[in-house]
C-alpha cells in the first residue's frame, strides 16, 4: 500500500513541476532566417502569453509541461507547438501568402490579387453587412479609395456613386455587374447579405473590357455560392429606429415680431392676419405636426450553403423595410436568391443563379422645407363648424403666407408602386483540357412595375385647392438580356505564366410602358380611386423603346516568374444608339507591373514584404444618350384654333437628330504602387490618375433661323471635353497582441474635375434662383461652381452706404439702407452688374477621407467607421427664406435678435425687410455659400459572440449599433452630405441645399445565428 501511495505522490509532484516550467526560445522567419520582432506567444486555452523582443527572443513562465504554445503574427501562418516538458523551443514561421494568392473577380474572369496590374479595390461582403442598409453602396462608403458615395436618407433613395471624378455630363453612375450580368446603374434590388465580394474597377486599364459602359467605372458584385460539405444556415436580423434632428425654428411669438418688423422697417403698416401678441403655446409647431419623431427600420435574412462533389447549392430569403418620418411613405423589399451548380463530370458543369424580388413603396413626401416655413400662428385644422364631408377640406389655410398646409399635404398623399423582378443567370462551363475553359452564360433581368397615383378633390382656399380629382396608373416593364460567351486558357511554361481570354457578347435593353389617367371621380373614397371611375379628360400614352449592343473582346495576362507583369485587353462595341458608319468603336487597354520585392537583390532586406509598381493606360466609352438621338422624330402635340378653348390633337417635331453622332470616349492613365511592410502588418497603396474625355455628347441649341418648331430645338452633338485628375492613398495596419486584435485603415483621395470644352462661349447654367442661376459651368474651369456677387458685410450707417461708390462718385447701391448687404464692385466700373460676378465656391471636395477601425478582445468586437469630405462648399438655398421671412415664411429661431437692427448689432444677417429693395435675399451671392466640410461617424457597433461551450455548436453574436451617430461640421443646414447630393440633379448642379431629406441617425439591435 505504501508503494502505491509513493507512486501516486511521485506523479503528483511531477505534475506540479510540469506546471511550473519556464520556457525560452527564439522565433525566425522561414523566408530570410531573420529574427522576428513582436510575435505573440500564447499558452493555448489561457491568457498567459508574451511577445518576442528585438532579437526574436522570448521567455514565458508557468507553462504546463503538457500544454501547447501558439505562435502568431500578422502576415505569417499561425503555428502550434506542444511543450512536452521542453525548456527551450525555437520556432520558424512561414509567410502567409494567402492575401496575395487571393482570387479576385475581374471583367469576364478572375485573377490572383498578386497578378493585378490595374487599380482595383476589393471589399468583402462581411464588411458590408455590419451596417444595415437597403443599398450596399451605403455600406461601401469610406471603404474603397477614390469612390465618392453621397447618401440620401429617404426610404429607397439611391446613393450617388462617383469613381475617380467626373468626365461627362451624361451621368456619373458606374456600371454594376452582378455575377457576370450587367444590371445597369442601381442595385437597390440586391440584398447586401447575399454579397460575397465587391470589386471596383477604377481605371480604364481594368474597365476597358466593358467598353462602351465603363467610362464611369465598373462595380463587380459576386454573390455567395455553395460549398462542398454539410449544409450550414445563417440567420441575421437587425431592428431599430431612426431619428431626425429637429431644426431650430421660430415659435409663434418670434414669428409675429419678425413679420411685423419687416413691414415697419420699410415704413409700411404690417398686414397681419393673426391674433396680436400671440404666444408660442397658442401657435402650431409644424415640424411636430408634420414630421414623426422616430421611424423604424428592420432587416431579416435567412441563408444556407452546402454541397457535395457533384452539386453545390446556396439560397437566401431576405426582407428589408424602412419607414419615412411622415405618416405616409415607406420602402420595403422581399428578395430571394438561389444558386446551384452541378458537375456532370470532370469536363462539364452547369449552374443557375435565380433571384426573384418584390419591391414596394409609397412615395415619401418632400415637405421638410414646408414644415419649417409654414406660418406657426395657423392651426392645423379649421374650426369644426366649418368642416365639410370632405376630410381634405378641413385643413387651415396659412394666415400670413402662401405655404400650403404641410399636414394637409401629407394627408392627401396617395402615390405608390409595386415592382416585381427576376434576375436569372443560367450558365455552362466546359473544360475539355486542363487550363482551357469555355463558358456560356445567358442572363435575363426583368422588372415589372405598376404605379398608382390619386389626387383628391379639395378646397381650402382659392389658392390652395384642386377642383377635380385626378387618378392615373402606369405600367412600366423592363426586360434586358445578355448572352456572354468566353474562352479562357491558362498555362505555365517554366517561369512564364499565361492567361488568355476571348469573348463575344450580345445585349438587348427593352422598355414598354403605358399610362392612363382620368379626372373627376364621383368621390374621394378608396373604392373609387381607379382610372375607370374618372369621368373627364381621359388620356393615355405609352411607347416601346429598344437598344442593342454587340461586342467582341479579348485579354492577355502574362507574368514572368512573379516579377514582371503585362495585361492587354481590347473590346469592340457596336451600339444601335449610333448611326450607320459610327456604330462601332474600339476600346483598348494595356497595363504592366514590376514586383520589386521578388527580385534577387531584395532577398536580404526585411523592410518590404511586398513592393510592386503599376502603370496602365486605356480607353472606355459612354453611350448614355437617347436611343434615337440620331433620328429626327415627330410626336403628338395639342393645338388651339381661334378663340376656342378646345384642344385639337396634332403632331410636331419632337426631337432633332444628328446623323454624325459618334462615341464619347474617355482616356485614362494610372500609375500606382503597392507596399507591404513590417511583415505584412502595414500595407500601403498609392495611385495617381488622369482621365480625359473627348467627343463628349452634349445637347446643343440649333439656330432659330433654321425654323425648327421648338423653342430651343436642341440636338445631341459630339462637342465637349472634360478632365479629372487626382490621387489616392490607403494605409492599413493590422496586428494582434495576446487576446487583443486591431485593424486601422485610412483612405485618402483627391480629384479635380475640369470642363475643358463645353458649348464654346455659352456656359452651362444650372440651379435656378429668382430668375438667375446659382451654378456656372464654363470651359477651362471646375464643374458645379457657384457664381454670383461677393457679399462684403453689412452697411452699418448711411455714411457707409454713401461711401460705397464707383470711381466717378456714383452710389453703387442706391436702394440700400443701413443693415443691407454691401456687394463688391470687383471691376471698379461704377456699376453693380453681371460683370462683378465671380466664382464663390465648389461643390466637389478637395479631399475625401475614410477611416475604418476594428477591435477585438476575446469574444467582444468593436467597429467604428468614419467618412468625410473637406474643401467643398454648399449653397444654402433655404437661408433665403428662413432668415428673410419672404412671403410670410417662418424663420430660424433667434432671427429677430440676430438680424441687423441698429449700428453694430450685426455684421452677418441683414435687416428685416418686406420689400428687400437691395436684393439681399434675391441675389446669388457669397452670403449663401457655406463651408460644406464634414466628418461623420457612419457606424459604431459593439458585438459579443457567445462562447461555443455555452451554445452547443451554435454561433450566436449579438450587437448594438449606431449609424450616422454624430457629424463634425460648421455647416448650418440639416445635413452637409445630403446637401452635396442635391436630389436627382446632375453633376453640373451639385451642392445646392433645398432642405432635402437628411440622413437620419439610426440605432439598431442585431442578432446573427449560424447553425
Amino acid at each position: 500500500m505504501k508503494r502505491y501511495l509513493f507512486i501516486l505522490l511521485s506523479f503528483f509532484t511531477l505534475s506540479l513541476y510540469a506546471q511550473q516550467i519556464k520556457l525560452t526560445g527564439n522565433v525566425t522567419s522561414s523566408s530570410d532566417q531573420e529574427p522576428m520582432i513582436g510575435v505573440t506567444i500564447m499558452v493555448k486555452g489561457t491568457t498567459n502569453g508574451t511577445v518576442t523582443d528585438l532579437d526574436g527572443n522570448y521567455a514565458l513562465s508557468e507553462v504546463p509541461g503538457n500544454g501547447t504554445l501558439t505562435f502568431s503574427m500578422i502576415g505569417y501562418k499561425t503555428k502550434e507547438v506542444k511543450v512536452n516538458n521542453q525548456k527551450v523551443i525555437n520556432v520558424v514561421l512561414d509567410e502567409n501568402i494567402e492575401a496575395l494568392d487571393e482570387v479576385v473577380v475581374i471583367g469576364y474572369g478572375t485573377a490572383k490579387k498578386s497578378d493585378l496590374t490595374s487599380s482595383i479595390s476589393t471589399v468583402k461582403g462581411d464588411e458590408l453587412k455590419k451596417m444595415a442598409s437597403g443599398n450596399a453602396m451605403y455600406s461601401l462608403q469610406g471603404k474603397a479609395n477614390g469612390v465618392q458615395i453621397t447618401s440620401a436618407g429617404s426610404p429607397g433613395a439611391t446613393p450617388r456613386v462617383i469613381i475617380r471624378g467626373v468626365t461627362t455630363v451624361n451621368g456619373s453612375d458606374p456600371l454594376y455587374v452582378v455575377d457576370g450580368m450587367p444590371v445597369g446603374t442601381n442595385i437597390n434590388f440586391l440584398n447586401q447579405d447575399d454579397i460575397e465580394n465587391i470589386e471596383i474597377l477604377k481605371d480604364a486599364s481594368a474597365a476597358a473590357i466593358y467598353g462602351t459602359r465603363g467610362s464611369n467605372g465598373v462595380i463587380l458584385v459576386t454573390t455567395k455560392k455553395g460549398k462542398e460539405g454539410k449544409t450550414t444556415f445563417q440567420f441575421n436580423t437587425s431592428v431599430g429606429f431612426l431619428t431626425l434632428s429637429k431644426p431650430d425654428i421660430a415659435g409663434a411669438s418670434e414669428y409675429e415680431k419678425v413679420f411685423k418688423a419687416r413691414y415697419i422697417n420699410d415704413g409700411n403698416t404690417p398686414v397681419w392676419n393673426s391674433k396680436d401678441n400671440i404666444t408660442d403655446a397658442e401657435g402650431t409647431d409644424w415640424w411636430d405636426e408634420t414630421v414623426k419623431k422616430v421611424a423604424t427600420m428592420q432587416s431579416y435574412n435567412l441563408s444556407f450553403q452546402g454541397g457535395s462533389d457533384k452539386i453545390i447549392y446556396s439560397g437566401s430569403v431576405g426582407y428589408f423595410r424602412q419607414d419615412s418620418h411622415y405618416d405616409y411613405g415607406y420602402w420595403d423589399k422581399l428578395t430571394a436568391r438561389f444558386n446551384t451548380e452541378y458537375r456532370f463530370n470532370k469536363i462539364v458543369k452547369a449552374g443557375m443563379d435565380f433571384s426573384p424580388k418584390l419591391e414596394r413603396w409609397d412615395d415619401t413626401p418632400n415637405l421638410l422645407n414646408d414644415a419649417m416655413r409654414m406660418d406657426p400662428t395657423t392651426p392645423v385644422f379649421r374650426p369644426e363648424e366649418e368642416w365639410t364631408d370632405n376630410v381634405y377640406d378641413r385643413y387651415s389655410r396659412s394666415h400670413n403666407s402662401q405655404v400650403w398646409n404641410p399636414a394637409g399635404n401629407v394627408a392627401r398623399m396617395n402615390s405608390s408602386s409595386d415592382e416585381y423582378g427576376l434576375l436569372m443567370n443560367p450558365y455552362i462551363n466546359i473544360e475539355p483540357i486542363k487550363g482551357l475553359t469555355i463558358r456560356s452564360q445567358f442572363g435575363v433581368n426583368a422588372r415589372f412595375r405598376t404605379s398608382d397615383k390619386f389626387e383628391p378633390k379639395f378646397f381650402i382656399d382659392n389658392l390652395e385647392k384642386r377642383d377635380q380629382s385626378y387618378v392615373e396608373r402606369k405600367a412600366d416593364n423592363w426586360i434586358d438580356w445578355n448572352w456572354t460567351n468566353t474562352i479562357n486558357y491558362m498555362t505555365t511554361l517554366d517561369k512564364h505564366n499565361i492567361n488568355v481570354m476571348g469573348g463575344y457578347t450580345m445585349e438587348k435593353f427593352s422598355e414598354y410602358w403605358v399610362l392612363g389617367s382620368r379626372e373627376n371621380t364621383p368621390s374621394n373614397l378608396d373604392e373609387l380611386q381607379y382610372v375607370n371611375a374618372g369621368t373627364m379628360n381621359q388620356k393615355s400614352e405609352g411607347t416601346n423603346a429598344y437598344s442593342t449592343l454587340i461586342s467582341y473582346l479579348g485579354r492577355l495576362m502574362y507574368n514572368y516568374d512573379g516579377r514582371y507583369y503585362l495585361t492587354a485587353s481590347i473590346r469592340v462595341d457596336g451600339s444601335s444608339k449610333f448611326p450607320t458608319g459610327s456604330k462601332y468603336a474600339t476600346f483598348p487597354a494595356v497595363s504592366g507591373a514590376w514586383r520589386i520585392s521578388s527580385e534577387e537583390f531584395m532577398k536580404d532586406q526585411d523592410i518590404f514584404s511586398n513592393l510592386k509598381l503599376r502603370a496602365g493606360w486605356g480607353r472606355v466609352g459612354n453611350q448614355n444618350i437617347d436611343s434615337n438621338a440620331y433620328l429626327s422624330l415627330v410626336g403628338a402635340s395639342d393645338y388651339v384654333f381661334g378663340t376656342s378653348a378646345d384642344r385639337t390633337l396634332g403632331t410636331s417635331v419632337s426631337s432633332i437628330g444628328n446623323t454624325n453622332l459618334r462615341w464619347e470616349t474617355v482616356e485614362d492613365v494610372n500609375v500606382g504602387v503597392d507596399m507591404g511592410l513590417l511583415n505584412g502588418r502595414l500595407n500601403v497603396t498609392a495611385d495617381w490618375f488622369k482621365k480625359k474625355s473627348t467627343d463628349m455628347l452634349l445637347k446643343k441649341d440649333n439656330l432659330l433661323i433654321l425654323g425648327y418648331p421648338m423653342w430651343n430645338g436642341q440636338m445631341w452633338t459630339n462637342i465637349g471635353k472634360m478632365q479629372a485628375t487626382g490621387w489616392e492613398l490607403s494605409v492599413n495596419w493590422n496586428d494582434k497582441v495576446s487576446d487583443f486584435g486591431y485593424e486601422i485603415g485610412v483612405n485618402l483621395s483627391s480629384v479635380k474635375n475640369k470642363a475643358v470644352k463645353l458649348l464654346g462661349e455659352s456656359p452651362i447654367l444650372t440651379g435656378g434662383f429668382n430668375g438667375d442661376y446659382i451654378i456656372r459651368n464654363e470651359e477651362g474651369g471646375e464643374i458645379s461652381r457657384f457664381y454670383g456677387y461677393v457679399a462684403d458685410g453689412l452697411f452699418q450707417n448711411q455714411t457707409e452706404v454713401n461711401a460705397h461708390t464707383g470711381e466717378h462718385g456714383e452710389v453703387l447701391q442706391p436702394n440700400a439702407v443701413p443693415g443691407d448687404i454691401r456687394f463688391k464692385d470687383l471691376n471698379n466700373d461704377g456699376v453693380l452688374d453681371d460683370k462683378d460676378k465671380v466664382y464663390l465656391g465648389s461643390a466637389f471636395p478637395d479631399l475625401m477621407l475614410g477611416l475604418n477601425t476594428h477591435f477585438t478582445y476575446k469574444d467582444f468586437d468593436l467597429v467604428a467607421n468614419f467618412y468625410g469630405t473637406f474643401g467643398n462648399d454648399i449653397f444654402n438655398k433655404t437661408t433665403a427664406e428662413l432668415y428673410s421671412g419672404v412671403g410670410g415664411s417662418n424663420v430660424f429661431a433667434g432671427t429677430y435678435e440676430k438680424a441687423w437692427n441698429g449700428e453694430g448689432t450685426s455684421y452677418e444677417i441683414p435687416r428685416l425687410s418686406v420689400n428687400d429693395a437691395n436684393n439681399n435675399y434675391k441675389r446669388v451671392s457669397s452670403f449663401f455659400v457655406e463651408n460644406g466640410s464634414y466628418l461623420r461617424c457612419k457606424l459604431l457597433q459593439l458585438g459579443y459572440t457567445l462562447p461555443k461551450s455555452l451554445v452547443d455548436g451554435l454561433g450566436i453574436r449579438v450587437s448594438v449599433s449606431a449609424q450616422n451617430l454624430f457629424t463634425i461640421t460648421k455647416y448650418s443646414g440639416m445635413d452637409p452630405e445630403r446637401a452635396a447630393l442635391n436630389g436627382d440633379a446632375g453633376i453640373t448642379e451639385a451642392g445646392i441645399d433645398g432642405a432635402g431629406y437628411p440622413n437620419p441617425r439610426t440605432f439598431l439591435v442585431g442578432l446573427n445565428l449560424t447553425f
Side-chain angles (χ1 to χ4, degrees), residues 216-255:
N216 292 324
V218 181
I219 295 180
L220 306 179
V221 180
T222 304
T223 61
K224 295 177 180 177
K225 302 296 188 293
K227 299 178 181 178
E228 187 174 336
K230 64 179 182 180
T231 304
T232 59
F233 294 85
Q234 302 85 34
F235 175 73
N236 303 320
T237 182
S238 58
V239 179
F241 61 91
L242 307 85
T243 66
L244 293 180
S245 296
K246 182 178 179 179
D248 198 6
I249 302 298
S253 59
E254 183 180 5
Y255 171 77

Side-chain angles (χ1 to χ4, degrees), residues 384-571:
E384 288 192 27
E385 58 269 19
E386 298 180 12
W387 286 10
T388 68
D389 292 338
N390 187 343
V391 295
Y392 305 117
D393 293 349
R394 299 174 182 178
Y395 292 88
S396 292
R397 172 67 176 171
S398 174
H399 291 173
N400 300 290
S401 77
Q402 300 303 314
V403 180
W404 281 29
N405 189 312
N409 270 328
V410 173
R412 292 191 300 271
M413 281 294 299
N414 193 338
S415 177
S416 62
S417 298
D418 293 344
E419 181 173 307
Y420 303 87
L422 175 64
L423 181 63
M424 183 171 59
N425 267 331
Y427 62 89
I428 184 170
N429 268 39
I430 303 173
E431 191 173 354
I433 61 174
K434 184 178 180 180
L436 178 64
T437 303
I438 304 170
R439 180 183 176 94
S440 183
Q441 172 179 303
F442 187 85
V444 177
N445 184 17
R447 296 179 292 139
F448 310 96
R449 180 188 300 174
T450 301
S451 300
D452 290 300
K453 182 178 182 180
F454 179 77
E455 296 178 1
K457 177 181 179 179
F458 72 98
F459 182 88
I460 294 176
D461 183 88
N462 285 328
L463 298 177
E464 190 171 347
K465 64 177 181 176
R466 181 173 185 89
D467 293 328
Q468 300 293 345
S469 58
Y470 172 83
V471 59
E472 77 171 31
R473 168 166 288 185
K474 183 180 182 184
D476 211 336
N477 303 326
W478 299 267
I479 301 176
D480 304 334
W481 60 260
N482 173 288
W483 187 23
T484 299
N485 302 277
T486 58
I487 300 177
N488 197 87
Y489 182 66
M490 299 175 63
T491 188
T492 298
L493 304 173
D494 192 16
K495 295 182 179 180
H496 303 273
N497 302 291
I498 301 171
N499 185 337
V500 182
M501 184 275 295
Y504 169 74
T505 72
M506 292 190 296
E507 300 177 67
K508 185 174 183 178
F509 314 93
S510 307
E511 180 182 5
Y512 317 91
W513 65 269
V514 62
L515 182 147
S517 67
R518 283 181 177 177
E519 292 183 338
N520 194 33
T521 59
S523 75
N524 293 330
L525 291 174
D526 293 346
E527 294 80 5
L528 295 174
Q529 294 178 8
Y530 55 89
V531 175
N532 274 1
T535 60
M536 294 174 53
N537 298 331
Q538 175 174 299
K539 291 185 178 180
S540 61
E541 55 182 317
T543 189
N544 295 352
Y546 309 94
S547 66
T548 56
L549 192 68
I550 188 171
S551 308
Y552 308 88
L553 49 124
R555 178 176 57 224
L556 168 66
M557 299 180 69
Y558 167 80
N559 82 74
Y560 174 75
D561 195 25
R563 289 184 287 166
Y564 311 113
Y565 299 83
L566 177 68
T567 302
S569 69
I570 189 168
R571 176 163 176 150

Side-chain angles (χ1 to χ4, degrees), residues 80 104 185 283 302 313 322 398 430 497 543 624 764 803 806 906 1002:
E80 292 187 354
V104 298
T185 58
L302 175 65
Y313 53 85
Q322 179 184 342
S398 174
I430 303 173
N497 302 291
T543 189
N624 189 22
I764 298 177
S906 176
T1002 306

Side-chain angles (χ1 to χ4, degrees), residues 481-675:
W481 60 260
N482 173 288
W483 187 23
T484 299
N485 302 277
T486 58
I487 300 177
N488 197 87
Y489 182 66
M490 299 175 63
T491 188
T492 298
L493 304 173
D494 192 16
K495 295 182 179 180
H496 303 273
N497 302 291
I498 301 171
N499 185 337
V500 182
M501 184 275 295
Y504 169 74
T505 72
M506 292 190 296
E507 300 177 67
K508 185 174 183 178
F509 314 93
S510 307
E511 180 182 5
Y512 317 91
W513 65 269
V514 62
L515 182 147
S517 67
R518 283 181 177 177
E519 292 183 338
N520 194 33
T521 59
S523 75
N524 293 330
L525 291 174
D526 293 346
E527 294 80 5
L528 295 174
Q529 294 178 8
Y530 55 89
V531 175
N532 274 1
T535 60
M536 294 174 53
N537 298 331
Q538 175 174 299
K539 291 185 178 180
S540 61
E541 55 182 317
T543 189
N544 295 352
Y546 309 94
S547 66
T548 56
L549 192 68
I550 188 171
S551 308
Y552 308 88
L553 49 124
R555 178 176 57 224
L556 168 66
M557 299 180 69
Y558 167 80
N559 82 74
Y560 174 75
D561 195 25
R563 289 184 287 166
Y564 311 113
Y565 299 83
L566 177 68
T567 302
S569 69
I570 189 168
R571 176 163 176 150
V572 178
D573 277 339
S575 172
S576 64
K577 292 188 175 184
F578 296 92
T580 302
S582 300
K583 289 185 180 296
Y584 286 88
T586 302
F587 303 101
V590 62
S591 58
W594 176 27
R595 186 178 299 284
I596 304 173
S597 55
S598 294
E599 295 288 355
E600 190 64 31
F601 62 81
M602 294 288 286
K603 296 297 185 184
D604 296 329
Q605 59 84 36
D606 56 5
I607 298 175
F608 295 101
S609 56
N610 177 45
L611 178 60
K612 183 169 72 172
L613 296 179
R614 295 176 283 102
W617 168 91
R619 286 178 178 165
V620 285
N622 187 4
Q623 62 157 11
N624 189 22
I625 59 172
D626 300 335
S627 296
N628 299 311
Y630 66 95
L631 297 176
S632 294
L633 301 176
V634 173
S637 182
D638 290 350
Y639 291 86
V640 176
F641 294 95
T643 59
S644 172
D646 296 333
R647 306 182 72 87
T648 302
L649 183 64
T651 60
S652 68
V653 174
S654 59
S655 66
I656 303 169
N658 181 357
T659 57
N660 295 316
L661 283 182
R662 58 189 180 275
W663 290 88
E664 178 180 311
T665 304
V666 177
E667 187 171 288
D668 179 296
V669 176
N670 184 87
V671 179
V673 59
D674 303 320
M675 294 183 288

Side-chain angles (χ1 to χ4, degrees), residues 75 88 125 170 175 313 357 408 462 500 542 560 600 620 811 925 948:
V88 177
N170 298 310
L175 170 67
Y313 53 85
K357 66 114 181 191
N462 285 328
V500 182
Y560 174 75
E600 190 64 31
V620 285
V811 175
S925 75
K948 292 184 178 180

Side-chain angles (χ1 to χ4, degrees), residues 367 594 658 719 909:
L367 296 170
W594 176 27
N658 181 357
I719 195 173
I909 308 301

